Amino acid sequence: MKRVVISLGGSIISMEKLNLEFMEEFSRMLGNIKGYDGFGIVVGGGKLARTYISDLRKYNVNDNILDEIGINATRINALAMTTFLDDVNSKIPTTVNDAAEMMHDYRYVVMGGTEPGHTTDTVAMLFAERINADVMINGTSVDGVYTEDPRKNRNAKKIDRMNYDDAIKLSIDSSIGAGSNVFMDITSLSIAKRSGIKIFVINGLKIDEYINILYNGTCNGTIIE
Ligand code: UTP
């Protein structure tokens, strides 16, 4: 069974508007890919989640409820994504367990978040671990992992390849400080490490990147292994 999990960062799906062009192109690309038995696709919350969360935070709504709001946003985006794919679930699973079951019935299983306290990075990694996927593709709004946040520091350098321990250290270091922007959360990296799941962090908007990874195991982003 050759399966892959793709985490589609919310920021590439839900921008000012829904990125329908990308969703269409991404679905067409996956439809043409040969040699795989199934794809798990985990969709983030993006602008939809951020708008609700930041507005409600001003009214002291607690973080658990804000996470629930975020989860619902990811599920709306996930449902929107399903409308572009054939042979896909029509109900969004609320647990990785249910999503794994659905892999028996569909070529694509699309989901969003599961429970408060983590992000869809962790959901994607748990999903990958559960269905024995060797590879997790993390499509983000940046073209790989950098030594520092490239939007804040022009001297930040892209890292082509790194091991799990260095990725975990970088994730911890970059999560310190307000307004931090972490490339992947520590939990998801720890899960990848324990199960040896190879991670490709790429600019999720570049369709060629998915094709290169799926056929050649290479990318212009960052490989964590
Ligand atoms: P995302 O996974 O999209 O968060 O979930 P993110 O990484 O902050 O944002 P982008 O999309 O990569 O820019 C959106 C929000 O939903 C909640 C969290 O509050 C998260 O910030 N969430 C999501 C959960 O609480 N649990 C989940 O399993 C998923």
Side-chain angles (χ1 to χ4, degrees), residues 8-11 43-46 49-50 53 63 66-71 74 112-121 123:
L8 289 180
S11 50
V43 184
R50 274 198 303 279
I53 290 173
D63 279 300
L66 295 179
D67 276 354
E68 287 291 352
I69 302 258
I71 291 167
T74 64
T114 52
E115 63 269 313
H118 54 232
T119 70
T120 46
D121 289 345
V123 176

Side-chain angles (χ1 to χ4, degrees), residues 199-210:
I199 308 166
F200 292 84
V201 183
I202 54 162
N203 179 335
L205 291 171
K206 294 197 173 153
I207 295 293
D208 285 353
E209 286 281 72
Y210 299 98

